[in-house]
Amino acid sequence: MLYDRRDFGLLRLAGAYQWLPLAPLRALSPLKQLFHEAQLLVSLGLLAFSRSGEYLTLTPEGYRLLSSFDLHYQPPSKRPYSQSPALRRRLEVGAILLTCLGAGIEPALDKVERLKRQPVFLPAFALRAGDGNLMNAAGCAGFGHWGGAAYMVQYVCEEHSGFFMNNELAHLHNLASVFSERLDTPQVILFAGDSYRAVYEVLTQKTRSDRNGKKGFVDYSQAYPQLGIPACLLSCDDTGVLQLSIMRQASYHARIAQAAFGARWKAEDGRLPEADGQVDGNPLVIAVDMDLRRLDRVCRDARQQNRKEILVAALEGQMSGLLLDFFPKDASIRPLRVNSKVLSVAFGGECALGDPWPDAPLQMKGGLAHV
C-alpha cells in the first residue's frame, strides 16, 4: 500500500505518544480528515481504538511497519487505567500537540535540537526519556518555538492547580541557546486548557491549594500575577488552532491592525507604549494572543489618562469565550471581531483552517516509503 504523509505522520504520533487522544481528532476542524485516516488505519490493523474510546494506540503490526523505516518506538509495558494520572497527562499533552498540528506547527518527537526550527512543538516527555532526563521532574507539557518566540506550555485544569515555578522557568531559560545562538529570543509562558474560561478560572481562583508554598510548588493563581515574562491563554479547540496559526506569523499585531484599519491606524501611541498603536486617537490592543495581563495594563493606564475609548480586537471565540466578561466594567471598550477577511488581507492563506499534512505520496524506494 502507498501511504501518504497523513498516514505516516499519524502512525509516528501514535508511536511516540503511545496514547494519542481521540477527542481532539474528532473535534478540531483541521484534523477531521486525519480522524478519517485513523479509521482507515484501524481497518488495516495498524492502529487500534481503546476500549474506552479515549485514545488511539499502535498495534504490533503498526510498530513493525515503523521499524521498517528505522523508527523504533517502545510500546507501553501495560494497558493504562482509564483514570490513571499517567494516561490523563499524556492525553492532555496530546490535546496541545494536536492543536499545534492543526495550526501548522510541526510536532518534534525526539531531539531538543529540533527546537531550532520554527514552527515546532516538543513535548516534555521527549526530554524525560533516554539516558539523560533534562526535566528534573518538571510537569510542563512541552516547549514551542514559533513566531520568533520561545514558549513553555502548561496544561491548566482543576487537577493541575500549580507548578514548581522556579524550576520549570529555569528549564525555559536554560533552553535559550537552543532557540537562538544570540540568546535574545523572547520567552513566553502559554497556559493551555479545555477552554479559555476554564484556564482563567484556575489562574484567578482565590483559595490556595494545600500544596502552595511546599517544596517550591506555587499555585497558578499565585504565580500568574507575578510572572516576569508574557503569559498567554490557549483553548484547545478550533479558536485555539486559529490563535496559534496567527501567533506563528511574524509581526502579527501590526499586520492585523494594518489590514483592519489601513491608513487610520498609527503604529505608535506615545502615551501607551504597550498598546498596538492607535486608531483615530483611540488606543488599540490586538488581543488575539490572549495576553490578558498586557490587555489589563493598557486598559488601566488608558482609564487613568481619561482616554475616550479603547479598541480591543480578538477572535469571535475569544470574545464570547471569555473577553466580553473579562473587560473592566468601568472602561469604555469597543470590542472588535477579527474576521476571515481581515486575516486574509493580513496573512493570505496562512491562517486558514486547513489540512495539517498535504495529501502527497511519499517517495518510494525499494518497496518502502521514505520521507
Side-chain angles (χ1 to χ4, degrees):
M1 175 180 174
L2 179 62
Y3 298 101
D4 66 20
R5 293 188 182 275
R6 280 196 303 264
D7 298 324
F8 197 77
L10 184 57
L11 288 172
R12 289 192 66 186
L13 286 180
Y17 270 75
Q18 297 179 349
W19 312 307
L20 194 64
L22 278 170
L25 280 177
R26 292 191 182 102
L28 295 175
S29 294
L31 303 182
K32 291 290 180 65
Q33 182 61 39
L34 201 58
F35 178 67
H36 296 315
E37 297 291 332
Q39 292 176 307
L40 174 61
L41 293 172
V42 168
S43 69
L44 293 173
L46 299 174
L47 290 176
F49 293 130
S50 68
R51 295 174 184 174
S52 64
E54 288 186 286
Y55 59 90
L56 276 172
T57 187
L58 274 180
T59 65
E61 182 61 32
Y63 281 105
R64 283 192 289 271
L65 176 65
L66 290 178
S67 293
S68 69
F69 300 123
D70 202 27
L71 294 169
H72 303 288
Y73 296 106
Q74 294 298 321
S77 58
K78 59 183 178 180
R79 184 184 298 274
Y81 293 110
S82 179
Q83 299 300 322
S84 69
L87 174 61
R88 186 181 68 244
R89 289 290 293 173
R90 187 58 65 89
L91 297 183
E92 291 166 353
V93 177
I96 294 171
L97 179 131
L98 291 175
T99 304
C100 291
L101 182 62
I105 296 171
E106 173 191 354
L109 303 174
D110 45 23
K111 299 179 180 178
V112 70
E113 288 77 13
R114 295 290 182 90
L115 285 171
K116 290 183 182 296
R117 298 204 305 250
Q118 299 186 61
V120 65
F121 173 77
L122 178 69
F125 72 78
L127 304 179
R128 299 187 182 103
D131 297 332
N133 183 348
L134 303 181
M135 295 303 295
N136 293 329
C140 72
F143 300 91
H145 189 195
W146 56 78
Y151 291 87
M152 181 174 71
V153 188
Q154 297 278 346
Y155 193 93
V156 176
C157 62
E158 291 184 1
E159 290 80 10
H160 305 306
S161 62
F163 65 141
F164 293 94
M165 182 175 69
N166 291 335
N167 182 32
E168 302 208 27
L169 288 175
H171 289 303
L172 177 61
H173 300 329
N174 290 339
L175 287 172
S177 61
V178 177
F179 292 112
S180 172
E181 295 180 356
R182 297 179 302 170
L183 307 182
D184 60 353
T185 301
Q187 297 178 358
V188 182
I189 187 166
L190 191 64
F191 292 114
D194 185 59
S195 68
Y196 294 112
R197 192 173 301 277
V199 173
Y200 186 69
E201 287 176 355
V202 175
L203 295 180
T204 58
Q205 62 186 6
K206 304 300 182 183
T207 304
R208 299 186 182 185
S209 72
D210 294 336
R211 296 184 65 189
N212 185 64
K214 296 180 179 179
K215 298 181 178 180
F217 186 89
V218 182
D219 286 351
Y220 287 127
S221 59
Q222 301 300 305
Y224 179 60
Q226 59 178 303
L227 287 169
I229 59 176
C232 301
L233 279 62
L234 175 70
S235 180
C236 293
D237 56 17
D238 278 349
T239 302
V241 169
L242 190 53
Q243 173 185 339
L244 289 184
S245 70
I246 294 170
M247 292 175 68
R248 69 181 178 86
Q249 310 299 323
S251 306
Y252 60 88
H253 296 96
R255 291 165 71 179
I256 290 175
Q258 180 66 50
F261 299 102
R264 296 171 56 202
W265 172 65
K266 306 301 180 185
E268 301 291 336
D269 187 315
R271 299 168 64 191
L272 292 172
E274 282 200 279
D276 297 305
Q278 57 180 292
V279 177
D280 301 331
N282 298 314
L284 170 68
V285 180
I286 305 297
V288 293
D289 53 14
M290 292 297 281
D291 184 351
L292 301 187
R293 297 190 309 164
R294 179 177 77 101
L295 173 59
D296 188 57
R297 291 192 297 268
V298 173
C299 290
R300 178 200 63 202
D301 294 345
R303 292 199 309 274
Q304 292 176 352
Q305 296 173 14
N306 296 316
R307 302 295 286 268
K308 181 180 179 181
E309 193 172 45
I310 308 164
L311 309 182
V312 179
L315 303 172
E316 168 57 38
Q318 296 170 337
M319 286 292 185
S320 59
L322 178 63
L323 288 180
L324 292 178
D325 294 327
F326 170 82
F327 294 143
K329 303 303 181 185
D330 57 345
S332 179
I333 292 177
R334 191 202 310 177
L336 304 170
R337 275 76 169 177
V338 177
N339 57 30
S340 58
K341 182 178 179 180
V342 170
L343 294 178
S344 178
V345 173
F347 308 110
E350 290 294 315
C351 293
L353 293 179
D355 189 350
W357 280 311
D359 189 9
L362 302 175
Q363 295 181 354
M364 302 300 293
K365 181 177 180 181
L368 294 178
H370 293 262
V371 276

